Amino acid sequence: MKFLYFDEGACSEIISERVFQSPEFELGKLLISVLRGTTPKARLTFRCVATSAADGVFVLTPEKGVQNYIVIDLEEAKDLFQLDDSGLLLSIQKTFRFATKCWGGLKPSVNERILTNNKGIVFPYPIGMQTALRVCIDRNPDAKRRVSRDTKKALLLYKFSDNEGIGVAEEPRLTNFRKAWENRSEGYALAAQQLQDLVNLTGNGSTSLAVTELRGANKPRLVEAGLEGWISVLTNSQLAFVNSSLTVPHRIEGPAGTGKTLCLVLKALKTLKDASTAHIPHQLLFIAHSEPTRRTIENLFAMNGGEDFINADFEVLAKPQSIKVTTLQGLCAHLLKREISDSELVDRDAYESKLIQRLYAIEGVENALRDEYESHLPFLSESFRKFLTETEKWAIAEMLQHEISVQIKGRADQDLNKYKKLDRLKIGFPVENDGDKTFSFLMYQKYQGELEAAAQFDTDDVVLSAISQLNTPIWRRRRAREGFSSIFIDETHLFNLNELSVFHRLTKSELQQPIAYSVDRSQALGDRGWTDLSFEAAFDPSGTLGQSDPTRIRSVFRCSPEIVDLAFSVTSSGATLFTNFHNPLTASVSAFTAEEERKSRTPAYLSFASDDAMLEGAFDRADVLAREMGVLKADVAVIVFGDDLFARCQEFAKANRKPIEVVKSRGDLDAVTRAKNSGRFVLTAPEFVGGLEFAGVVLVGVDGGRVPPNGSGLEFEPSQNFLNYAAHQRLYVAITRARFRVEILGNMARGMSDILRSSVSAGLLDANASAA
């Protein structure tokens, strides 16, 4: 095989259908096999076929007749086919989008160039990936010979390389292009016959492709498709996860916007429906991280045909097949219902609970430094002393809260001797010796004392108490009857080791752990030390079940390619910090069609003269974005960075009578729905925006000294590293909430945040945008 010939209709079909955007779809794999020549004869859609002729493959839409076309010279551009399947498909998609613009007389995009010699250059990969690989295209090949014999516009992909070659003087070899051009009549005849044969064979010629359900101006997703409806539009990896039997812990992992929660819901529904069909009792437990997320997931079950399975309480015998959707706090409160009341919980919502815990942590830090620092000073390392004296108290408290959750309670069971034996977190409390850990433990005890004085229990206290209830002869006897047949956990990355240690005790048998859980480790605040082995140990502490079954999703459905590239640049900019930071975007691909890409824009950075001007500009920009995209005000979220600025923004909105709905709980879809129904803006902070999605987002206060926080009192490296880590994570979460548009606002006096500078230099963020 020496060439590939695609006509304009075929290019349009390939860039318009979601199933051709990723090799995770079956038809995406089919297209790759056509490109590589392993399947030279195939039907791609009901009007587009591939056929073999004259040492090449023609991919055509014969019913439209001879059209504009692009030829790929396989001998000259052989390096293109050395890419893996995702890279090859990405490059072809970018090339066909460029070709469509050339034929339509449209301007090139930011990753495309038109040279003075009429050649075209396409950079398929984000520049932040440190690659200069490019597709080289002749925009009028063999012009003299074709001028009187060919009325169609032709393109020739003649080179794929990471160097410029000889520049504008470069001339492609035309042997294979001429062969393709001269034999296209034969190609069209064969394609038309092939398509007719397929019509006769099927009797209607209407479908080898049931994929257009996901297309539409304002409904990119079918949240009410039901299990059967969703099956037809899932990727291969998603479908394999949904259909696989749950005998060992099964992890579904991927970046934001890949459909992890949906896949968990569908897998749970299929599990229950299979059990119902087989008349097998099955009690399923589904754990959400927060109360708003719990309500959203419960609604998702109801809308997709699972309403009859939903159990209002924990009575496992209420229905033969049932599902209980709850938070970890709600589960533990149920297990401890005779020992703890709701008033003793810090908060039933996990996220709200952790915010209140931070207030107790500040009290613990201040009390320990005031009462105990001088007596422990001789035993502290020099670096830890510097940390305690040069870091602001709120930053120490945030890091202490993390240390308590992950280390002291999460791994050491609140035992000082066990804590001293643990390795320190790479991004966390800078404890160097036993003296440092002793003083850290003392701060923890002060924090615990504040809890006891308030007669409350934090999340870890409740979980550890619940675990003790599950480690008794009574529960072991009742487990087979009262345990759950399967357990599903959403956003596992937000739980610590203690919290995850509950679930393997709740299954009906300790010999099987039918647990499915979703993970995006880059959304977890700070260094939690999560690895494949640590997840396996949490759900199989005995190590007797064998290796768990992971599914990794690469296709990002929520975000445009421009937003994926910006998010990749943000996570990559912290590479020197994140020695154990999992960056799921390195292998991700956007599943956006060309139609969806047209709604998108390069993310922009806007500077304002003052914070007041920036807050006013935030609502103005949200209004402009809503008008430009033709969506409701509530479809553009205003996300404010920094507690002080978030409070000021709420006051500004109230004083200026801006219609707002404030989201103060993670994943609060009910608040977003209220905003849509009342025509209000959605105002929130990065801590609360996880689990939601919008057409666009306006990020406010992403500037120097605020993201990440620094300046007076924050020069000490470990504390600054932790805050940098947290800032990258929050910015990643906020950016990936948007489908089409991202605008970032900053104070001109503060300057741009360092996190964004690499994005600007790579052309992924437009710093010259106008707020007008």
Side-chain angles (χ1 to χ4, degrees):
M1 195 168 78
K2 296 183 178 180
F3 65 83
L4 291 165
Y5 180 110
F6 291 82
D7 69 12
E8 185 174 358
C11 292
S12 178
E13 293 276 302
I14 289 169
I15 66 175
S16 299
E17 296 294 352
R18 189 181 300 278
V19 289
F20 294 122
Q21 311 302 316
S22 168
E24 293 194 337
F25 288 106
E26 196 62 43
L27 286 179
K29 281 187 175 179
L30 177 61
L31 175 58
I32 289 168
S33 68
V34 169
L35 293 169
R36 296 194 185 280
T38 53
T39 307
K41 186 176 181 180
R43 181 182 188 176
L44 296 177
T45 72
F46 63 88
R47 64 171 68 90
C48 176
V49 295
T51 192
S52 178
D55 288 333
V57 170
F58 292 83
V59 184
L60 309 169
T61 50
E63 67 179 31
K64 295 183 178 181
V66 179
Q67 307 158 55
N68 300 326
Y69 59 96
I70 181 171
V71 175
I72 302 175
D73 190 326
L74 299 181
E75 292 184 327
E76 294 298 300
K78 57 183 180 295
D79 288 344
L80 175 62
F81 295 85
Q82 301 301 314
L83 297 174
D84 62 12
D85 288 350
S86 294
L88 175 59
L89 199 53
L90 173 67
S91 300
I92 291 297
Q93 283 285 351
K94 295 288 188 181
T95 298
F96 288 176
R97 282 161 166 75
F98 175 78
T100 302
K101 291 171 191 170
C102 288
W103 296 324
L106 303 176
K107 292 181 179 180
S109 302
V110 66
N111 65 321
E112 301 163 350
R113 306 282 189 275
I114 302 296
L115 305 182
T116 56
N117 62 351
N118 205 34
K119 300 293 191 299
I121 301 294
V122 178
F123 296 92
Y125 290 99
I127 299 173
M129 292 187 68
Q130 303 300 318
T131 177
L133 287 170
R134 67 198 70 194
V135 174
C136 302
I137 298 170
D138 190 334
R139 297 176 68 237
N140 192 12
D142 208 10
K144 292 182 179 179
R145 189 174 182 186
R146 291 176 45 252
V147 65
S148 59
R149 301 172 56 189
D150 189 1
T151 60
K152 303 301 178 183
K153 296 179 182 178
L155 300 172
L156 171 63
L157 194 165
Y158 66 91
K159 183 180 178 182
F160 182 77
S161 175
D162 60 358
N163 63 73
E164 299 179 2
I166 59 174
V168 294
E170 190 171 65
E171 290 294 332
R173 192 168 69 95
L174 298 172
T175 304
N176 290 328
F177 172 79
R178 289 171 178 169
K179 184 175 291 188
W181 169 39
E182 291 167 355
N183 288 278
R184 68 180 177 188
S185 297
E186 180 185 357
Y188 271 101
L190 290 172
Q193 184 59 52
Q194 183 175 324
L195 198 58
Q196 185 59 47
D197 291 344
L198 288 168
V199 170
N200 295 336
L201 184 64
T202 61
N204 54 39
S206 63
T207 179
S208 65
L209 184 67
V211 299
T212 54
E213 299 168 64
L214 285 184
R215 298 175 61 192
N218 295 312
K219 286 191 69 178
R221 258 172 213 79
L222 295 177
V223 295
E224 301 181 43
L227 182 60
E228 293 73 19
W230 277 112
I231 292 298
S232 64
V233 292
L234 296 177
T235 67
N236 290 345
S237 55
Q238 288 174 326
L239 188 58
F241 173 79
V242 170
N243 288 331
S244 62
S245 59
L246 192 57
T247 55
V248 297
H250 194 157
R251 178 172 77 250
I252 184 166
E253 185 168 354
T258 50
K260 299 183 294 297
T261 299
L262 174 66
C263 288
L264 276 182
V265 169
L266 294 179
K267 186 175 182 68
L269 274 176
K270 187 174 188 304
T271 299
L272 291 171
K273 289 189 174 183
D274 288 348
S276 178
T277 302
H279 303 290
I280 299 172
H282 194 104
Q283 284 72 47
L284 188 150
L285 177 67
F286 199 109
I287 298 293
H289 186 259
S290 66
E291 187 61 27
T293 306
R294 182 200 66 76
R295 293 194 297 268
T296 298
I297 290 172
E298 202 166 71
N299 290 336
L300 198 54
F301 274 108
M303 289 188 296
N304 284 281
E307 187 172 14
D308 293 339
F309 294 119
I310 295 175
N311 220 355
D313 53 37
F314 283 93
E315 181 53 59
V316 295
L317 299 179
K319 304 175 183 178
Q321 296 83 29
S322 68
I323 180 169
K324 175 59 183 174
V325 185
T326 186
T327 64
L328 180 61
Q329 289 274 39
L331 172 65
C332 292
H334 164 72
L335 296 172
L336 298 170
K337 57 187 174 184
R338 293 185 179 87
E339 299 181 14
I340 189 170
S341 66
D342 281 357
S343 63
E344 292 177 292
L345 294 173
V346 171
D347 196 285
R348 288 189 68 88
D349 185 281
Y351 196 87
E352 293 292 335
S353 170
K354 289 175 181 176
L355 292 180
I356 297 172
Q357 285 173 233
R358 186 167 302 167
L359 298 178
Y360 290 134
I362 291 175
E363 291 290 326
V365 168
E366 291 178 344
N367 290 341
L369 289 174
R370 183 187 65 237
D371 301 334
E372 308 289 347
Y373 178 71
E374 291 299 328
S375 60
H376 285 76
L377 185 59
F379 308 104
L380 303 181
S381 68
E382 183 62 33
S383 61
F384 196 64
R385 291 181 206 169
K386 191 175 180 183
F387 164 69
L388 294 175
T389 56
E390 296 187 9
T391 305
E392 290 185 2
K393 301 302 182 291
W394 66 264
I396 298 176
E398 184 173 357
M399 296 175 70
L400 174 64
Q401 185 182 357
H402 185 68
E403 187 79 1
I404 292 171
S405 177
V406 178
Q407 294 283 75
I408 296 175
K409 288 187 175 182
R411 290 181 169 90
D413 296 330
Q414 305 173 86
D415 186 297
L416 177 58
N417 291 326
K418 291 182 180 179
Y419 178 49
K420 287 180 179 179
K421 295 177 182 178
L422 294 176
D423 292 334
R424 61 161 289 190
L425 295 172
K426 294 181 180 178
I427 306 294
F429 244 33
V431 286
E432 301 291 343
N433 58 31
D434 286 354
D436 297 345
K437 290 185 177 180
T438 299
F439 192 78
S440 298
F441 198 82
L442 186 63
M443 286 192 285
Y444 149 70
Q445 289 177 324
K446 296 286 186 181
Y447 156 84
Q448 196 70 17
E450 293 294 326
L451 278 177
E452 292 173 5
Q456 289 186 313
F457 299 93
D458 69 6
T459 308
D460 294 286
D461 291 332
V462 174
V463 169
L464 290 169
S465 299
I467 290 174
S468 67
Q469 291 286 308
L470 299 173
N471 192 27
T472 63
I474 294 175
W475 172 251
R476 285 193 287 270
R477 182 180 298 180
R478 292 177 175 175
R479 182 171 182 169
R481 182 168 56 90
E482 298 184 9
F484 292 93
S485 307
S486 61
I487 298 174
F488 289 69
I489 311 165
D490 191 32
E491 297 189 298
T492 310
H493 47 270
L494 298 178
F495 295 104
N496 67 33
L497 191 61
N498 265 338
E499 294 165 336
L500 294 184
S501 297
V502 174
F503 302 115
H504 74 274
R505 302 170 188 266
L506 292 172
T507 55
K508 286 184 175 295
S509 170
E510 62 183 17
L511 301 179
Q512 281 192 317
Q513 296 297 327
I515 300 174
Y517 60 103
S518 66
V519 174
D520 178 3
R521 280 175 269 182
S522 57
Q523 290 196 49
L525 176 60
D527 172 17
R528 289 184 173 267
W530 287 131
T531 63
D532 289 354
L533 290 176
S534 59
F535 279 120
E536 291 177 12
F539 296 118
D540 179 22
S542 64
T544 58
L545 299 180
Q547 191 170 8
S548 63
D549 188 10
T551 296
R552 290 184 171 87
I553 311 178
R554 302 174 63 184
S555 300
V556 180
F557 297 96
R558 177 187 299 143
C559 307
S560 70
E562 292 90 346
I563 294 173
V564 172
D565 291 348
L566 177 61
F568 173 83
S569 177
V570 165
T571 53
S572 298
S573 69
T576 57
L577 278 177
F578 306 148
T579 53
N580 63 336
F581 180 83
H582 178 73
N583 186 357
L585 293 168
T586 54
S588 69
V589 291
S590 172
F592 260 40
T593 64
E595 180 181 348
E596 289 170 322
E597 281 193 21
R598 279 192 285 272
K599 302 178 185 177
S600 307
R601 298 288 185 276
T602 300
Y605 183 87
L606 305 174
S607 295
F608 292 84
S610 66
D611 282 355
D612 289 340
M614 180 173 63
L615 295 178
E616 184 174 358
F619 292 102
D620 290 343
R621 293 309 304 164
D623 210 14
V624 169
L625 292 184
R627 288 201 310 270
E628 290 180 353
M629 291 187 288
V631 298
L632 299 174
K633 288 181 178 179
D635 288 321
V636 181
V638 178
I639 305 174
V640 185
F641 285 71
D643 294 339
D644 292 342
L645 192 62
F646 185 40
R648 285 182 58 188
C649 192
Q650 294 176 67
E651 294 170 0
F652 174 87
K654 183 177 180 180
N656 291 273
R657 297 184 179 181
K658 299 289 185 183
I660 62 169
E661 187 74 37
V662 182
V663 174
K664 287 189 175 181
S665 295
R666 181 181 172 89
D668 191 353
L669 190 59
D670 290 346
V672 176
T673 302
R674 290 195 300 271
K676 290 182 178 180
N677 292 337
S678 57
R680 298 181 177 184
F681 294 107
V682 172
L683 177 63
T684 187
E687 293 86 351
F688 310 119
V689 79
L692 301 175
E693 73 172 56
F694 303 89
V697 297
V698 178
L699 310 186
V700 185
V702 186
D703 44 30
R706 197 145 40 195
V707 181
N710 57 28
S712 176
L714 289 177
E715 292 86 355
F716 187 62
E717 184 178 0
S719 55
Q720 191 61 59
N721 284 353
F722 181 87
L723 296 173
N724 285 351
Y725 199 118
H728 281 81
Q729 176 265 341
R730 288 170 179 146
L731 190 54
Y732 162 77
V733 172
I735 288 170
T736 54
R737 298 309 99 193
R739 288 183 57 74
F740 305 114
R741 305 283 290 275
V742 172
E743 290 196 356
I744 303 175
L745 279 53
N747 187 317
M748 191 179 301
R750 288 176 174 269
M752 181 182 294
S753 168
D754 289 340
I755 297 176
L756 298 174
R757 296 192 183 281
S758 61
S759 304
V760 173
S761 64
L764 304 176
L765 182 64
D766 181 7
N768 298 312
S770 170

